[in-house]
Amino acid sequence: MEALDRGVIAVRVDEGVYVGWRLLGTEPSDTGFQLYRDGVKVTDTPITSSTNYLDTEGTVDSTYEVRAILHGKEEPPSEPVGVWDTNYLAIPLKIPAGSMTPDGVTATYSANDVSVGDLDGDGQYEIVLKWDPSNSHDNAHSGYTDKVYLDAYKLDGTWLWRIDLGINIRAGAHYTQFMVYDLDGDGKAEVACKTADGTIDGTGEVIGDANADHRNQRGFILDGPEYLTIFEGETGKALVTTAYHPPRGNVSAWGDAEGNRVDRFLACIAYLDGERPSLVMCRGYYTRTVLAAYNWRDGALTTVWTFDSDAEGNAGYAGQGNHSVSVADVDGDGYDEIVYGSCVIDHDGQGLYTTGLGHGDAMHVGNLDPSRPGLEVFQVHENPSDNGIELHDAGTGGILWGVKSTKDIGRGTSGDIDPRHPGEEYWAAGKLFNCKGEIISNNYPSSTNFAIWWDGDLLRELLDDNRIDKWDYINDRTENLLTAAECASNNGTKATPCLQADLFGDWREEVIWRTADNTELRIYTTTMLTAHRIHTLMHDPMYRLGIAWQNVAYNQPPHPSFYLGEGMESPPSPNIYLEERTASSRVPSARR
């Protein structure tokens, strides 16, 4: 996994300076830390109970370093950091100019979904941002769209490159699923996505025919070649381009002739061999479903396997996909599976099981019920059934409990928000359930959206639109913790952030929002002290893969592989090793 740096942040607060840092996944859970301000040790003894500290003597002009204590010796210091004057980091943006489409419309652009990866191998995350034009469309709607752009920025605001996907990639939530991950183990992340004739990479080189225009009179793109491209993360240079699999073929064979179902794309990263990441690109979920797995190794892109619901014996997997995807080792064999809505594809490209409950919009995968072994899947479904809201065993598909539905259940969320009930709670369709499917309240959070670890306890908070709220389980109401002034959410009524992830500081999560005028991204971090100490969530493989797929279609929040909530056991040390930065050799010395 990624060789991250210490991730130290320092933020001015009323009482002084809040400082937070990472406990890396390869470090013992009892690792001590010394905090230095302006080169002088702040604490007399190493900090062993947390990975944050309130320095009441700190000022906005202070500089901080953190040193780990391993085997009784101080390790080299982290890079020194200055103090933020606010609880967010602002990254200035370069807004693209719109161009006139054949219907005479010139779009404006909004900053949309974000992913992160260490693009240059320095141990810090860079940002990859998708720009969304104002005339983007859902697959079900006709109309021309302007171009889609991908930009890369460093955390200090440095703009690295722009990829222009061209006029032959339609804009909308279901078309461009972009994966940012170190696929070949050289310490630097790549970027992978679907491309077409006229795509321009970050160095100005054109992919395919620069003059081709495959848009039909309704704005759909149902002709012309389709490509998959791996881009170099540091420069945006196209490293390899191949035909996108599967091809469209007969458009109507995917469920309609309009271009709706044929262009429903998903994507993810998975450790299919249990050791190194693979890229999985997907097409279709309402009817035919196809997943293609690739390895990017030593400058070569090779196909690992293809799963097709049209293949013999796979008919039960058709029509089972969601507007999102998840990745987890659901059967405990050390290899990742693809949780594709109501079905699971095994690490070897074979179908593992299908519940047969069909398509749904929202899904949560994790150790949601710690009283039972393994992982669970909480899912809501579009088709009315006896299990329209349900929890099932992630490894077998066995239904643990279900609630009858008579209509499309479009939203559902899972998170530990009430310490009086073991495990996570689940809310959908106006009800709040415990791990056994029992209704614990007819009132439920007004936010059925993202869940985030933000304050100092182990409960998860509620992230919706431009705010973070706390569920008051005593009085069945929400209390606001943060409203991000001047910021806006994305994706219409979905009201999702650009990204939610544990980007720096301790184990709690940051939120990236765009400003309403799209001139900045703002990365908000908590400044609330916590006594809980957990390895950085980005070194939990399941959580890290959740950050990679978070931008896919209807964005969903990530979950770690272990139960994180009230009454949790000490989480296991991640079974990982770190790829050496900017080199292809591994660093297994700290492996568990």
Side-chain angles (χ1 to χ4, degrees), residues 439-457:
I439 297 174
I440 58 177
S441 177
N442 288 316
N443 295 317
Y444 74 129
S446 58
S447 166
T448 313
N449 203 343
F450 274 45
I452 182 171
W453 286 289
W454 184 261
D455 66 7
D457 63 29

mmCIF file of all heavy atoms in Angstrom, residues 439-457:
data_model
loop_
_atom_site.group_PDB
_atom_site.id
_atom_site.type_symbol
_atom_site.label_atom_id
_atom_site.label_comp_id
_atom_site.label_asym_id
_atom_site.label_seq_id
_atom_site.Cartn_x
_atom_site.Cartn_y
_atom_site.Cartn_z
ATOM 1 N N ILE A 439 -37.132 -2.085 14.796
ATOM 2 C CA ILE A 439 -37.337 -0.642 14.739
ATOM 3 C C ILE A 439 -37.057 -0.049 16.115
ATOM 4 O O ILE A 439 -37.678 -0.439 17.109
ATOM 5 C CB ILE A 439 -38.765 -0.297 14.286
ATOM 6 C CG1 ILE A 439 -39.017 -0.804 12.860
ATOM 7 C CG2 ILE A 439 -38.998 1.213 14.346
ATOM 8 C CD1 ILE A 439 -40.446 -0.627 12.389
ATOM 9 N N ILE A 440 -36.115 0.864 16.190
ATOM 10 C CA ILE A 440 -35.800 1.498 17.467
ATOM 11 C C ILE A 440 -36.325 2.925 17.534
ATOM 12 O O ILE A 440 -36.323 3.537 18.600
ATOM 13 C CB ILE A 440 -34.283 1.475 17.762
ATOM 14 C CG1 ILE A 440 -33.494 2.177 16.654
ATOM 15 C CG2 ILE A 440 -33.803 0.046 17.925
ATOM 16 C CD1 ILE A 440 -31.997 2.244 16.929
ATOM 17 N N SER A 441 -36.773 3.461 16.388
ATOM 18 C CA SER A 441 -37.403 4.774 16.406
ATOM 19 C C SER A 441 -38.149 4.985 15.098
ATOM 20 O O SER A 441 -37.703 4.551 14.035
ATOM 21 C CB SER A 441 -36.355 5.879 16.585
ATOM 22 O OG SER A 441 -36.961 7.159 16.535
ATOM 23 N N ASN A 442 -39.291 5.650 15.186
ATOM 24 C CA ASN A 442 -40.008 6.074 13.993
ATOM 25 C C ASN A 442 -39.524 7.437 13.508
ATOM 26 O O ASN A 442 -39.975 7.932 12.485
ATOM 27 C CB ASN A 442 -41.514 6.128 14.255
ATOM 28 C CG ASN A 442 -42.109 4.738 14.374
ATOM 29 O OD1 ASN A 442 -41.784 3.858 13.583
ATOM 30 N ND2 ASN A 442 -42.956 4.536 15.368
ATOM 31 N N ASN A 443 -38.636 8.025 14.284
ATOM 32 C CA ASN A 443 -37.901 9.203 13.831
ATOM 33 C C ASN A 443 -36.509 8.748 13.429
ATOM 34 O O ASN A 443 -35.938 7.842 14.039
ATOM 35 C CB ASN A 443 -37.805 10.241 14.952
ATOM 36 C CG ASN A 443 -39.150 10.805 15.336
ATOM 37 O OD1 ASN A 443 -39.962 11.113 14.471
ATOM 38 N ND2 ASN A 443 -39.386 10.924 16.633
ATOM 39 N N TYR A 444 -35.990 9.363 12.428
ATOM 40 C CA TYR A 444 -34.650 8.988 12.005
ATOM 41 C C TYR A 444 -33.954 10.224 11.462
ATOM 42 O O TYR A 444 -34.583 11.261 11.223
ATOM 43 C CB TYR A 444 -34.685 7.862 10.979
ATOM 44 C CG TYR A 444 -35.133 8.226 9.575
ATOM 45 C CD1 TYR A 444 -34.378 7.866 8.480
ATOM 46 C CD2 TYR A 444 -36.323 8.911 9.344
ATOM 47 C CE1 TYR A 444 -34.784 8.178 7.188
ATOM 48 C CE2 TYR A 444 -36.745 9.211 8.066
ATOM 49 C CZ TYR A 444 -35.964 8.846 6.989
ATOM 50 O OH TYR A 444 -36.368 9.158 5.710
ATOM 51 N N PRO A 445 -32.638 10.189 11.302
ATOM 52 C CA PRO A 445 -31.931 11.384 10.844
ATOM 53 C C PRO A 445 -32.495 11.907 9.527
ATOM 54 O O PRO A 445 -32.801 11.134 8.611
ATOM 55 C CB PRO A 445 -30.493 10.885 10.675
ATOM 56 C CG PRO A 445 -30.372 9.746 11.624
ATOM 57 C CD PRO A 445 -31.718 9.079 11.602
ATOM 58 N N SER A 446 -32.622 13.215 9.440
ATOM 59 C CA SER A 446 -33.095 13.828 8.198
ATOM 60 C C SER A 446 -32.110 13.603 7.067
ATOM 61 O O SER A 446 -32.466 13.685 5.895
ATOM 62 C CB SER A 446 -33.334 15.321 8.420
ATOM 63 O OG SER A 446 -32.133 15.958 8.864
ATOM 64 N N SER A 447 -30.853 13.326 7.403
ATOM 65 C CA SER A 447 -29.827 13.021 6.409
ATOM 66 C C SER A 447 -29.748 11.514 6.190
ATOM 67 O O SER A 447 -29.394 10.766 7.100
ATOM 68 C CB SER A 447 -28.468 13.535 6.868
ATOM 69 O OG SER A 447 -27.427 12.974 6.081
ATOM 70 N N THR A 448 -30.115 11.075 4.994
ATOM 71 C CA THR A 448 -29.900 9.677 4.601
ATOM 72 C C THR A 448 -28.851 9.705 3.501
ATOM 73 O O THR A 448 -29.112 9.403 2.345
ATOM 74 C CB THR A 448 -31.205 9.037 4.102
ATOM 75 O OG1 THR A 448 -32.244 9.348 5.029
ATOM 76 C CG2 THR A 448 -31.077 7.521 4.019
ATOM 77 N N ASN A 449 -27.652 10.097 3.892
ATOM 78 C CA ASN A 449 -26.622 10.393 2.914
ATOM 79 C C ASN A 449 -25.295 9.778 3.374
ATOM 80 O O ASN A 449 -25.201 8.573 3.536
ATOM 81 C CB ASN A 449 -26.516 11.915 2.725
ATOM 82 C CG ASN A 449 -25.911 12.314 1.403
ATOM 83 O OD1 ASN A 449 -25.287 11.516 0.729
ATOM 84 N ND2 ASN A 449 -26.104 13.567 1.016
ATOM 85 N N PHE A 450 -24.308 10.587 3.639
ATOM 86 C CA PHE A 450 -23.007 10.089 4.080
ATOM 87 C C PHE A 450 -22.948 10.022 5.602
ATOM 88 O O PHE A 450 -23.673 10.730 6.303
ATOM 89 C CB PHE A 450 -21.891 10.996 3.576
ATOM 90 C CG PHE A 450 -21.404 10.675 2.195
ATOM 91 C CD1 PHE A 450 -22.280 10.408 1.157
ATOM 92 C CD2 PHE A 450 -20.046 10.622 1.921
ATOM 93 C CE1 PHE A 450 -21.830 10.115 -0.109
ATOM 94 C CE2 PHE A 450 -19.576 10.327 0.657
ATOM 95 C CZ PHE A 450 -20.476 10.066 -0.372
ATOM 96 N N ALA A 451 -22.039 9.172 6.110
ATOM 97 C CA ALA A 451 -21.738 9.109 7.531
ATOM 98 C C ALA A 451 -20.239 9.311 7.691
ATOM 99 O O ALA A 451 -19.447 8.814 6.878
ATOM 100 C CB ALA A 451 -22.163 7.764 8.120
ATOM 101 N N ILE A 452 -19.832 10.046 8.737
ATOM 102 C CA ILE A 452 -18.437 10.472 8.857
ATOM 103 C C ILE A 452 -17.997 10.427 10.313
ATOM 104 O O ILE A 452 -18.778 10.718 11.222
ATOM 105 C CB ILE A 452 -18.269 11.892 8.278
ATOM 106 C CG1 ILE A 452 -16.814 12.358 8.338
ATOM 107 C CG2 ILE A 452 -19.193 12.898 8.987
ATOM 108 C CD1 ILE A 452 -16.568 13.653 7.579
ATOM 109 N N TRP A 453 -16.734 10.040 10.553
ATOM 110 C CA TRP A 453 -16.148 10.148 11.891
ATOM 111 C C TRP A 453 -15.530 11.527 12.010
ATOM 112 O O TRP A 453 -14.546 11.851 11.328
ATOM 113 C CB TRP A 453 -15.120 9.053 12.118
ATOM 114 C CG TRP A 453 -15.760 7.719 12.342
ATOM 115 C CD1 TRP A 453 -16.461 7.327 13.444
ATOM 116 C CD2 TRP A 453 -15.795 6.613 11.441
ATOM 117 N NE1 TRP A 453 -16.918 6.039 13.293
ATOM 118 C CE2 TRP A 453 -16.522 5.575 12.066
ATOM 119 C CE3 TRP A 453 -15.278 6.380 10.164
ATOM 120 C CZ2 TRP A 453 -16.741 4.340 11.456
ATOM 121 C CZ3 TRP A 453 -15.495 5.160 9.557
ATOM 122 C CH2 TRP A 453 -16.222 4.149 10.210
ATOM 123 N N TRP A 454 -16.088 12.334 12.915
ATOM 124 C CA TRP A 454 -15.698 13.747 12.970
ATOM 125 C C TRP A 454 -15.365 14.214 14.379
ATOM 126 O O TRP A 454 -14.330 14.835 14.606
ATOM 127 C CB TRP A 454 -16.826 14.611 12.388
ATOM 128 C CG TRP A 454 -16.502 16.066 12.305
ATOM 129 C CD1 TRP A 454 -16.878 17.052 13.178
ATOM 130 C CD2 TRP A 454 -15.723 16.714 11.294
ATOM 131 N NE1 TRP A 454 -16.383 18.269 12.772
ATOM 132 C CE2 TRP A 454 -15.676 18.091 11.614
ATOM 133 C CE3 TRP A 454 -15.067 16.271 10.146
ATOM 134 C CZ2 TRP A 454 -14.990 19.021 10.824
ATOM 135 C CZ3 TRP A 454 -14.394 17.194 9.354
ATOM 136 C CH2 TRP A 454 -14.359 18.550 9.692
ATOM 137 N N ASP A 455 -16.234 13.948 15.361
ATOM 138 C CA ASP A 455 -15.951 14.464 16.704
ATOM 139 C C ASP A 455 -15.090 13.456 17.468
ATOM 140 O O ASP A 455 -14.487 12.558 16.875
ATOM 141 C CB ASP A 455 -17.235 14.844 17.431
ATOM 142 C CG ASP A 455 -18.141 13.649 17.734
ATOM 143 O OD1 ASP A 455 -17.716 12.501 17.507
ATOM 144 O OD2 ASP A 455 -19.284 13.875 18.186
ATOM 145 N N GLY A 456 -15.049 13.564 18.791
ATOM 146 C CA GLY A 456 -14.084 12.784 19.549
ATOM 147 C C GLY A 456 -14.524 11.395 19.955
ATOM 148 O O GLY A 456 -13.706 10.601 20.434
ATOM 149 N N ASP A 457 -15.823 11.046 19.793
ATOM 150 C CA ASP A 457 -16.265 9.717 20.200
ATOM 151 C C ASP A 457 -16.177 8.750 19.019
ATOM 152 O O ASP A 457 -15.717 9.094 17.937
ATOM 153 C CB ASP A 457 -17.664 9.764 20.808
ATOM 154 C CG ASP A 457 -18.730 10.242 19.823
ATOM 155 O OD1 ASP A 457 -18.574 10.035 18.603
ATOM 156 O OD2 ASP A 457 -19.726 10.842 20.271
#
